Amino acid sequence: MKIAVVGTGHVGLVVGTGLAENGHYVKCMDIDEAKIAMLQAGEMPIYEPGLEELVVRNMEEERLKFTTALDEAVKDVLLIFICVGTPPLPDGGADTSQVFSVVDAIGKAIDGYRIVVNKSTCPVGSTEEIRDRLAESTSQSFDVVVNPEFLRQGSAVDDFMRPDRIVVGCDDVRVEEIMKELYAPFLRTGKPLLLMSIRSAEMAKYAVNAMLATRISFMNEMATLCEAYGADIGEVREGVAADSRIGPAYLFPGIGFGGSCLPKDVVACAKMAEARGLDTHIMKAVSAVNREQQQRFIETILAHYGERIKGKRIAVWGASFKPKTDDLRDGPALHVIDALLEAGAAITVYDPVADRNLAHVYGDRITVVPKNYAALQEADGLVITTEWNEFRRPDYERMGDLMREKVIFDGRNLYTASVLEKAGFRYFSVGRPSV
Ligand code: UDX
């Protein structure tokens, strides 16, 4: 099939590339000229494992093209995927303005029948608005479906190529058939394509992210209880995860969930309820626990140093909101770095891939180093904010030799307290006894 993908962010780029990899002809469009120029040159604007190889191969095989011209992208295609951002408005609701400006542009550009597939996460009811808005700007016939995307950054290619399920909200049987045909190669493992009403599909996306965030906040609250009663959240988690009714995923306590989806979707969910005069007790609590979790970690660090914090050099390992991505958006690391800078500490950060984004956010307010041990030189403490694999088994002796004060604040529970105690470190983690 011939397909246009509008928006080449994390979702659009992976979706377009994944579809091309399955043999479709895909034109990816973005208004960001610098980003498109990079992609045309075979360079990746984001770090996502496995993506570059697929992009380059599909470009070489001429199934994948990049353009800044929407008219050109939507010419002669059957499907147009909308994959633009819906960031939070100041009040927390979803800002759908990018979606609607794309819809207006599509309406002006199309010269025949098209199926518009919305992948951007929008409040329930938006797809119907998209349909109305499109009808205002074109006399061509079209259908609109919603097809939420569940890929995770860091494993996006794999998630898109081998999804747990595909959700399609659609009210036309012919379009349903086209969507089934499009996704058939992705579902060879027997995973389902779930057809449902447009509103249900829109809600399903929020429900998934809200549930994941709820599990994390729940475990973070349990971690606080563990600390108060001398229990170990790692052991408690094992007890919980082994219950087949619960399962092991998304039960890791830490310094709160971040990223461009979970935090904003939980708040947007609460806003949707508010718009109908309803109260979402759970969603509000999930966000509040997340904020408190980050704050509690920051306070542990500040309490350790007290007045001595001014002028201390603190090393930070990991800046992205999770491993295997260079995305800093709404990441707990940024909140920690901001708080420590404000308290007067000097910050040295090591992250395997986020240098470019760190420079963009902090300029010369922090020092960014290219190696993890380099960050520890003369450091008065180490803060671990992202659980990159390379941080899991460090050389404690080498660390201790480099550091001025042997103290670790581990926001991801990577180490065993007794081992660190033996190595002469003070060690703070989340929901476990400190040493
Ligand atoms: C999420 C959803 O998983 C995905 O389906 C949706 O399409 C986009 O949002 P993503 O933001 O890439 O994906 O990250 P995810 O792996 O879900 O992690 C989100 C946050 O939760 C990270 O900050 C992570 O560190 C945190 N997390 C995750 C925990 O604190 N504990 C866990 O057990 C799992």
Side-chain angles (χ1 to χ4, degrees):
M1 291 184 211
K2 290 185 178 164
I3 298 167
V5 176
V6 183
T8 56
H10 232 108
V11 171
L13 187 54
V14 174
V15 168
T17 308
L19 290 170
E21 179 69 11
N22 269 282
H24 300 290
Y25 290 96
V26 182
K27 289 182 272 182
C28 287
M29 180 271 163
D30 202 292
I31 50 170
D32 185 334
E33 288 177 11
K35 194 190 275 184
I36 292 297
M38 278 181 89
L39 286 162
Q40 284 169 338
E43 288 165 35
M44 293 302 105
I46 50 167
Y47 175 81
E48 182 60 49
L51 185 60
E52 182 168 358
E53 188 198 328
L54 288 191
V55 169
V56 170
R57 185 170 64 237
N58 283 283
M59 280 171 76
E60 278 168 8
E61 291 171 9
E62 295 187 351
R63 286 190 302 267
L64 184 61
K65 293 204 163 97
F66 295 98
T67 176
T68 52
L70 185 115
D71 299 23
E72 190 191 313
V74 301
K75 209 182 210 153
D76 299 327
V77 300
L78 174 61
L79 295 155
I80 304 171
F81 281 79
I82 301 178
C83 301
V84 293
T86 51
L89 289 162
D91 74 352
D95 178 356
T96 54
S97 58
Q98 292 180 52
V99 173
F100 284 99
S101 74
V102 166
V103 168
D104 290 342
I106 292 172
K108 286 198 194 96
I110 56 176
D111 54 5
Y113 173 76
R114 300 287 187 278
I115 299 169
V116 175
V117 184
N118 184 29
K119 264 200 181 292
S120 299
T121 305
C122 295
V124 178
S126 300
T127 306
E128 288 154 42
E129 281 177 44
I130 291 174
R131 188 151 56 194
D132 295 345
R133 190 84 165 242
L134 208 46
E136 282 168 24
S137 56
T138 182
S139 54
Q140 303 295 336
S141 62
F142 61 84
D143 281 291
V144 179
V145 301
V146 60
N147 171 214
E149 183 49 59
F150 299 101
L151 62 78
R152 290 162 299 172
Q153 288 176 230
S155 54
V157 173
D158 215 42
D159 287 348
F160 184 71
M161 300 304 247
R162 277 176 286 279
D164 283 345
R165 70 343 207 149
I166 305 273
V167 169
V168 174
C170 182
D171 52 15
D172 183 288
V173 279
R174 286 163 309 175
V175 179
E176 278 177 16
E177 288 309 312
I178 292 169
M179 294 303 285
K180 279 190 199 162
E181 194 188 322
L182 176 79
Y183 278 121
F186 296 84
L187 300 170
R188 282 190 305 256
T189 45
K191 295 290 166 69
L193 185 141
L194 304 171
L195 289 165
M196 57 185 77
S197 77
I198 284 174
R199 286 187 175 227
S200 298
E202 290 173 324
M203 191 67 92
K205 168 72 186 186
Y206 280 107
V208 169
N209 278 359
M211 172 61 104
L212 295 173
T214 303
R215 283 173 74 107
I216 300 166
S217 274
F218 174 83
M219 287 307 283
N220 283 335
E221 195 159 86
M222 279 293 150
T224 305
L225 269 178
C226 283
E227 275 175 35
Y229 281 90
D232 181 328
I233 190 68
E235 293 168 355
V236 172
R237 185 181 56 76
E238 284 175 15
V240 174
D243 190 315
S244 61
R245 294 169 300 178
I246 299 174
Y250 282 82
L251 294 181
F252 288 89
I255 40 173
F257 54 81
S260 63
C261 294
L262 259 47
K264 87 164 164 74
D265 288 351
V266 172
V267 178
C269 223
K271 280 281 150 193
M272 278 197 295
E274 216 177 284
R276 290 286 185 276
L278 301 166
D279 212 348
T280 48
H281 304 290
I282 294 177
M283 293 304 94
K284 282 185 188 162
V286 166
S287 294
V289 168
N290 200 48
R291 279 194 302 275
E292 280 168 24
Q293 189 70 5
Q294 296 181 4
Q295 199 48 41
R296 187 172 303 108
F297 185 65
I298 290 167
E299 274 158 22
T300 302
I301 304 171
L302 295 179
H304 171 78
Y305 294 104
E307 280 304 309
R308 298 186 297 128
I309 187 86
K310 288 194 183 65
K312 291 280 176 198
R313 174 154 294 281
I314 314 276
V316 177
W317 277 2
S320 50
F321 79 95
K322 60 184 275 193
K324 297 187 187 167
T325 179
D326 61 351
D327 197 340
L328 304 178
R329 282 178 291 175
D330 224 338
L334 299 199
H335 300 288
V336 174
I337 293 171
D338 289 346
L340 294 178
L341 282 175
E342 201 179 319
I347 303 294
T348 307
V349 183
Y350 167 71
D351 185 283
V353 294
D355 287 12
R356 188 167 52 183
N357 292 338
L358 277 169
H360 188 69
V361 175
Y362 289 105
D364 57 10
R365 289 192 298 135
I366 59 170
T367 307
V368 178
V369 290
K371 292 266 182 332
N372 56 348
Y373 290 103
L376 302 178
Q377 189 77 45
E378 308 276 282
D380 298 295
L382 166 65
V383 180
I384 297 173
T385 42
T386 315
E387 69 278 31
W388 282 91
N389 275 340
E390 64 187 90
F391 302 155
R392 285 182 191 276
R393 290 290 171 268
D395 178 342
Y396 300 124
E397 206 178 307
R398 186 171 169 198
M399 291 168 78
D401 288 346
L402 289 165
M403 294 171 75
R404 237 179 343 220
E405 185 178 338
K406 287 168 78 172
V407 55
I408 299 177
F409 305 92
D410 179 0
R412 301 293 181 172
N413 289 1
L414 300 187
Y415 309 133
T416 308
S418 56
V419 174
L420 282 179
E421 192 180 19
K422 231 183 252 162
F425 280 88
R426 281 219 69 192
Y427 179 60
F428 298 87
S429 57
V430 179
R432 304 186 301 175
S434 303
V435 292

